[in-house]
Amino acid sequence: MYKPFGTYGRAGAQYRQIDVTTRVEGASPHRLVAILYEELLGAIATMGQAIRVGDIVRRGESQSKALAIVGGLEAGLDFEKGGDIARMLVTIYAEVKRLLIRAAREDAQDASDAARKLVGEIATAWNAIA
């Protein structure tokens, strides 16, 4: 049976929203990007799990969330200050989007894993900058 709010129901979903809101309030721009990477990794992991168990609703929801976060990261790039790094990130984000779309369309666990690996590498590098 599909549970739209996971194991813990609506209370769990509300707690999760409060957690994200609390982490975002007062965060530096650098920390905000780190939070986006954390949320993106979580959405991709959820998508991968949904693919494994055949939960197409959760797969779609997590894919939508992941794609929205990638879009937000992409929109936040500063090509004047970021130069080559920003251009490289555009290419990586395009690949992540391609992999997420393929993962959902074909139930391709390998594509989901590859997207998570790419994002994980970027997140690790971003966190090392602190």
Side-chain angles (χ1 to χ4, degrees):
M1 178 179 155
Y2 171 70
K3 296 180 181 180
F5 295 103
T7 305
Y8 301 104
R10 187 167 300 279
Q14 289 173 337
Y15 177 78
R16 174 90 175 110
Q17 183 58 42
I18 290 168
D19 175 57
V20 171
T21 302
T22 302
R23 290 188 296 149
V24 168
E25 289 176 356
S28 69
H30 180 52
R31 181 67 189 130
L32 288 173
V33 172
I35 291 168
L36 286 172
Y37 283 133
E38 291 168 12
E39 292 296 311
L40 178 55
L41 286 167
I44 296 171
T46 300
M47 183 179 173
Q49 181 184 19
I51 289 169
R52 280 190 295 283
V53 300
D55 186 339
I56 60 173
V57 172
R58 193 166 58 146
R59 180 193 69 199
E61 291 171 348
S62 54
Q63 180 202 29
S64 293
K65 180 178 179 178
L67 289 171
I69 294 170
V70 172
L73 287 165
E74 217 171 14
L77 292 173
D78 184 336
F79 292 96
E80 288 183 24
K81 292 180 184 174
D84 290 339
I85 293 173
R87 285 186 286 281
M88 178 192 65
L89 286 171
V90 165
T91 302
I92 293 170
Y93 293 155
E95 178 64 5
V96 169
K97 290 188 287 188
R98 186 192 70 76
L99 288 165
L100 292 172
I101 291 166
R102 181 176 155 248
R105 184 180 59 235
E106 301 172 12
D107 278 334
Q109 185 68 49
D110 64 319
S112 174
D113 292 343
R116 189 163 187 223
K117 182 178 180 199
L118 276 174
V119 172
E121 290 171 0
I122 297 168
T124 298
W126 183 260
N127 289 329
I129 294 171

